[in-house]
Amino acid sequence: MSDVTLKNVRKSYGALEVIHGIDLDIRSGEFVVFVGPSGCGKSTLLRMIAGLEAISGGDIGIGGRVVNNVPSPQRGIAMVFQSYALYPHMSVYENMAFGLRLSKAPQAEIDRRVNEAARILQIESYLSRMPKQLSGGQRQRVAIGRAIVRDPKVFLFDEPLSNLDAALRAQTRVEIAKLHETLDATMIYVTHDQVEAMTLADKIVVLNAGVIEQVGTPLELYRSPANTFVAEFIGGNKMNLLPVKGSASGVALPNGRTVPFAGSDLSHAVTLGVRPEHLERVGADSAQISGAVEVIEQLGEFAIVHFRTREGDEMTIKLGGAPDIALHEDIHVALDPAVGHVFDDAGRALRAPAG
Amino acid sequence: MAREVMDQDRPSRLTALALAFLALIWVSPFFWLMTNAIDPAATGQLEVPQSIGIDNFVQALSGSAGRQFVNSMLIAAGTATLTVVVAISAAYPLSRMRIPGRNAFLWALVLLRMLPATGVIVPMYFAAQAAGLLNMMGIVLALTILNLPFTLLLLKNFFDTVPIELEEAAYVEGASLWTILIKIVLPLSKAGIAVVWFFSFTGAWNEFLLPLIFSRTEAGFPMSIGLYSAFGRQGSIDYGFLAAFSIIYAAPAVGVYFLLRRNMNTGFAGVGVKG
């Protein structure tokens, strides 16, 4: 039993409330990612679960036990810090053994567990080195190893990859996914990077300004974002949002053309969202939206083309390969109603694409 | 043109001579000290010793001179250790807790300490007299109090450089506040603590006025006062004894220098490991 439950959890600093009542159930063995822009409260929430921050209201439960007043070491958690927080004056072995030594574990037990963790993370060959002799990626492994050694019920990761370069980040991401598979432990992972959230999570919790915007699997969030915030935050390329006028049968684009949506009343619709990868480039005669190209981001495998519509809205479209298009050229796009997201004036989703 | 420059660079005989002369002037007091210290029949002249022996050193380490050496050691080591212990216990909370106005408080203390200690020696004397501390314990306490403003500021700044995440990581792993301090914070602040200890040690070792006023008996005099009184002993000055005494008096400073160098070289390494 290593599920984590948050019930109406609040945090205030004086009169300033930064976490406004979070309810969340994390099942045993689940990999949950807290994602959101900086300052959204995701790290604070993690630190409250860790016991590094006091909670101002509500209940936190770990393994079926309310831990509000349980000190951190007795919560059965291990935390991996953004800066790794390796003890600079201790060898890799001693860094990993520190917690076990504090709990007065016998030396044979310490040896066994440190070597086991080192084997899993493939850091056996530098157990005797000092942290400053290691590269960023190696330090990261030691920090994770220090968590594994303690055999916790819940692993907490606070932006563990943000100090690594892009290539190493991608590689370590895969390793953390494998690690979750191997250890089968509950993991809570904080990041501001939606790619990490999408690739690692069983369940993503999108946070914004101290409230949960949406909870769901990566695909649920991608396909059916509950609001414009999630719609823009999740997905490799930012979703296009266009101001529209809703009616009973569909929405009217800024240029007057109507996109029909059958079967839903969209009279309160004010925003139409469509992902760049779901727009289709068409000829001038079948265009629903036309504009002029402003920037082309050529990535080889695909290109992101930024254009400004005749009505002045900025939009992006993702085109496969190396598209035959130049700066300032006209571009015409069409959108299938099947891929459109519709939002009301509060940003709430009225309709999401089926499937 | 290039040749002229080269000529200028070449050391001339004249500069060599001038430098040798300066070196001689520089070295001669030390030479005087050494020759007189190892000459049992020293006369205070700068000359080659007639005979060589360690009688002067034996004399400088026995009797009341030996007691003064022990007194100096006790005062210096006691002051340094007490200063470090008190400063750590105050600087750590000052570094970690959000106490309003803590920096203003520290700088105000330092400002007060900028006033010459001589200025407060009279009230300190009366305070010590009232508390019955006109003895070695009183000297150690008084010197510690005078040391604290600077050492507090120095150690607080050192503790500030130890990342708080290291302490949080240790806390999550089950370390008590005490364990965190002993196993994490202090080892990482070794260089700062060493500086504070050694400077307090040399400061107390060299202190003259305070021990002179606080020590009511000759048995309580440290070496600094002993050196002063050795000048007028029995109407004549025993130069051999005085030279040996001075060398012994200076020795801890040299020792401290080497200890400090070793600690400074190892202490700073590794603080703040990041990616």
Side-chain angles (χ1 to χ4, degrees):
Chain A
M1 277 293 281
S2 52
D3 51 333
V4 178
T5 49
L6 308 183
K7 283 205 189 75
N8 195 24
V9 171
R10 292 171 183 281
K11 176 75 188 176
S12 343
Y13 295 104
L16 179 72
E17 190 172 78
V18 292
I19 304 276
H20 312 284
I22 297 277
D23 290 292
L24 189 64
D25 281 309
I26 297 169
R27 290 195 314 275
S28 187
E30 223 173 8
F31 197 124
V32 173
V33 175
F34 293 172
V35 68
S38 42
C40 71
K42 55 191 189 296
S43 281
T44 307
L45 198 56
L46 191 79
R47 289 169 60 84
M48 292 200 290
I49 297 171
L52 289 170
E53 296 273 352
I55 61 173
S56 312
D59 284 318
I60 294 179
I62 297 176
R65 179 170 71 126
V66 173
V67 295
N68 291 4
N69 296 311
V70 177
S72 198
Q74 278 110 59
R75 290 190 181 192
I77 52 111
M79 186 150 168
V80 177
F81 291 82
Q82 181 176 1
S83 65
Y84 318 141
L86 300 181
Y87 312 125
H89 56 301
M90 297 182 196
S91 67
V92 168
Y93 181 97
E94 285 305 321
N95 261 284
M96 287 165 69
F98 186 74
L100 294 174
R101 289 208 195 288
L102 287 177
S103 59
K104 304 259 191 301
Q107 182 58 41
E109 171 78 1
I110 296 176
D111 259 340
R112 190 183 63 73
R113 281 161 76 166
V114 170
N115 286 321
E116 169 70 9
R119 190 186 56 74
I120 293 173
L121 295 163
Q122 295 160 11
I123 53 175
E124 290 141 305
S125 57
Y126 33 87
L127 279 177
S128 58
R129 290 202 207 158
M130 301 303 277
K132 67 179 172 194
Q133 296 170 299
L134 304 179
S135 70
Q138 290 167 336
R139 283 176 201 169
Q140 178 56 262
R141 283 158 189 265
V142 176
I144 295 173
R146 197 168 60 180
I148 292 176
V149 161
R150 299 187 57 231
D151 192 22
K153 288 190 275 190
V154 183
F155 282 85
L156 306 175
F157 294 91
D158 190 4
E159 309 212 20
L161 305 186
S162 53
N163 284 339
L164 301 179
D165 63 51
L168 203 52
R169 202 179 302 163
Q171 186 194 331
T172 314
R173 214 165 59 210
V174 175
E175 281 169 11
I176 288 177
K178 284 185 193 155
L179 192 69
H180 178 237
E181 195 63 34
T182 315
L183 298 175
D184 200 28
T186 310
M187 292 187 174
I188 305 177
Y189 186 108
V190 162
T191 181
H192 59 265
D193 181 352
Q194 65 89 27
V195 178
E196 283 172 31
M198 291 295 281
T199 52
L200 287 170
D202 295 322
K203 187 153 87 183
I204 296 178
V205 178
V206 182
L207 288 157
N208 183 31
V211 294
I212 292 181
E213 294 282 357
Q214 193 174 0
V215 179
T217 66
L219 275 185
E220 279 167 9
L221 297 196
Y222 178 79
R223 288 177 179 155
S224 330
N227 51 48
T228 48
F229 180 82
V230 178
E232 285 194 291
F233 201 82
I234 297 292
N237 308 295
K238 203 173 169 184
M239 184 186 277
N240 293 300
L241 295 178
L242 289 172
V244 292
K245 207 187 266 305
S247 69
S249 59
V251 297
L253 294 173
N255 59 16
R257 291 200 176 89
T258 303
V259 181
F261 286 102
S264 35
D265 178 13
L266 299 177
S267 43
H268 298 295
V270 295
T271 310
L272 172 69
V274 58
R275 296 193 183 278
E277 55 269 37
H278 293 153
L279 281 172
E280 195 187 348
R281 189 181 174 198
V282 293
D285 45 344
S286 49
Q288 279 169 303
I289 303 166
S290 298
V293 176
E294 290 191 325
V295 175
I296 301 171
E297 292 179 280
Q298 183 55 261
L299 291 139
E301 176 199 353
F302 59 86
I304 304 293
V305 177
H306 298 249
F307 62 98
R308 189 175 291 277
T309 65
R310 303 242 160 92
E311 294 71 38
D313 300 305
E314 281 181 49
M315 292 185 74
T316 54
I317 179 171
K318 183 178 176 182
L319 298 170
D324 174 27
I325 195 156
L327 273 183
H328 312 304
E329 236 175 59
D330 278 351
I331 184 166
H332 310 283
V333 299
L335 65 96
D336 185 344
V339 298
H341 301 256
V342 183
F343 303 95
D344 68 10
D345 58 353
R348 287 188 299 261
L350 293 172
R351 183 194 178 281
Chain B
M1 181 72 183
R3 201 172 155 154
E4 275 170 42
V5 172
M6 270 173 65
D7 281 349
Q8 277 175 9
D9 279 353
R10 195 174 299 156
S12 76
R13 196 161 295 180
L14 201 67
T15 44
L17 211 65
L19 285 173
F21 180 67
L22 273 178
L24 198 68
I25 291 178
W26 185 252
V27 162
S28 54
F30 295 101
F31 184 72
W32 181 94
L33 206 60
M34 289 307 293
T35 51
N36 278 273
I38 58 173
D39 183 356
T43 58
Q45 301 301 311
L46 185 57
E47 61 190 4
V48 178
Q50 304 299 314
S51 57
I52 289 174
I54 56 162
D55 303 26
N56 291 329
F57 285 97
V58 172
Q59 206 190 340
L61 279 172
S62 56
S64 67
R67 197 168 56 238
Q68 286 164 3
F69 179 80
V70 173
N71 286 345
S72 273
M73 272 292 173
L74 287 175
I75 290 173
T79 303
T81 308
L82 190 64
T83 301
V84 163
V85 170
V86 175
I88 286 172
S89 343
Y92 179 67
L94 276 170
S95 163
R96 290 309 190 221
M97 293 168 70
R98 296 183 173 278
I99 302 163
R102 56 183 172 171
N103 280 322
F105 166 72
L106 278 176
W107 282 105
L109 281 183
V110 170
L111 175 69
L112 284 175
R113 185 60 189 83
M114 298 299 278
L115 307 168
T118 326
V120 291
I121 207 149
V122 174
M124 273 176 75
Y125 173 82
F126 285 121
Q129 192 186 39
L133 281 171
L134 288 178
N135 49 31
M136 194 184 292
M137 177 59 96
I139 299 171
V140 169
L141 277 178
L143 288 176
T144 301
I145 290 165
L146 290 174
N147 279 341
L148 277 175
F150 272 116
T151 46
L152 264 178
L153 191 70
L154 197 72
L155 279 186
K156 181 203 160 273
N157 287 340
F158 249 95
F159 291 151
D160 284 350
T161 65
V162 176
I164 189 86
E165 276 161 346
L166 294 182
E167 293 182 44
E168 288 179 344
Y171 171 65
V172 170
E173 292 198 84
S176 63
L177 182 62
W178 185 245
T179 312
I180 291 171
L181 193 64
I182 300 288
K183 295 243 164 106
I184 308 291
V185 179
L186 295 187
L188 291 177
S189 314
K190 212 168 69 181
I193 294 167
V195 169
V196 167
W197 196 90
F198 291 131
F199 271 98
S200 304
F201 183 93
T202 40
W205 183 270
N206 295 335
E207 184 64 37
F208 176 76
L209 189 58
L210 210 104
L212 180 70
I213 290 170
F214 273 47
S215 303
R216 307 308 293 156
T217 58
E218 204 169 324
F221 283 170
M223 281 184 96
S224 51
I225 300 171
L227 187 66
Y228 166 72
S229 47
F231 271 103
R233 261 203 329 197
Q234 293 134 15
S236 71
I237 298 171
D238 183 348
Y239 286 106
F241 167 81
L242 198 58
F245 193 90
S246 303
I247 288 172
I248 292 168
Y249 181 57
V254 179
V256 159
Y257 167 79
F258 284 106
L259 279 172
L260 189 64
R261 249 181 63 160
R262 208 181 63 194
N263 271 276
M264 291 296 276
N265 284 342
T266 57
F268 283 119
V271 173
V273 167
K274 284 212 173 181

